[in-house]
């Protein structure tokens, strides 16, 4: 796995790690929901879902970083496989957010566009760079 792909994968992981605590622990704050482009009428009804999404982001980010550590300190092929799996996970999870919005499950509708783009571009670039 080339250096550029590794750097972009690390950046993607850091974005996911940055979003995780916002969703897991600070979702009740209006500024966080505004940043995430989510309009929630009753925060208590979705707090569990926000925690789960944040935890999944935490796992995707940590898994990718663990893969980078394995890549540099263990078996290169195994590390690359873990990094690529993490990038695919981050990409597909972000695209699922866009699909949910297309189904009308996001409030306000269309609110996930920036988040979907922001969370999918880096993993996509890393995957493309790794295949070169």
């Amino acid at each position: 796995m080339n250096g550029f792909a590794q750097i972009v994968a690390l950046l993607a992981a850091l974005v996911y790690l940055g979003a995780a605590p916002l969703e897991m622990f600070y979702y009740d704050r209006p500024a966080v929901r505004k940043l995430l482009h989510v309009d929630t009428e009753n925060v208590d009804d979705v707090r569990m879902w926000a925690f789960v999404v944040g935890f999944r982001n935490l796992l995707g980010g940590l898994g990718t970083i663990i893969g980078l550590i394995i890549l540099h300190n263990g078996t290169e092929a195994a590390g690359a496989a873990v990094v690529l799996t993490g990038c695919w996970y981050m990409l597909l999870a972000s695209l699922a957010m866009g699909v949910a919005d297309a189904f009308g499950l996001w409030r306000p509708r269309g609110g996930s566009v920036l988040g979907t783009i922001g969370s999918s571009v880096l993993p996509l670039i890393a995957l493309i760079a790794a295949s070169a």
Side-chain angles (χ1 to χ4, degrees):
M1 175 175 261
N2 64 56
F4 179 72
Q6 293 176 50
I7 290 169
V8 178
L10 176 61
L11 291 174
L14 293 175
V15 167
Y16 272 70
L17 291 174
L22 297 177
E23 294 161 332
M24 293 173 70
F25 304 114
Y26 301 109
Y27 186 79
D28 59 334
R29 298 182 181 184
V32 169
R33 290 192 308 279
K34 184 175 181 178
L35 176 71
L36 297 173
H37 299 276
V38 178
D39 182 19
T40 304
E41 291 176 17
N42 189 342
V43 172
D44 290 334
D45 287 343
V46 297
R47 189 181 310 263
M48 188 271 300
W49 300 104
F51 185 88
V52 170
V53 169
F55 192 78
R56 288 179 180 177
N57 286 342
L58 179 70
L59 291 176
L62 284 178
T64 302
I65 290 173
I66 289 168
L68 289 166
I69 292 169
I70 294 169
L71 180 73
H72 289 275
N73 297 307
T75 307
E76 186 175 335
V82 173
V83 172
L84 293 173
T85 300
C87 287
W88 274 110
Y89 174 83
M90 291 185 287
L91 175 62
L92 295 175
S94 68
L95 295 177
M97 181 169 53
V99 169
D101 193 346
F103 286 154
L105 303 176
W106 194 281
R107 286 187 290 181
R109 191 168 193 162
S112 77
V113 172
L114 290 176
T116 299
I117 292 169
S119 60
S120 63
V121 168
L122 290 172
L124 179 62
I125 291 171
L127 289 165
I128 291 168
S131 68

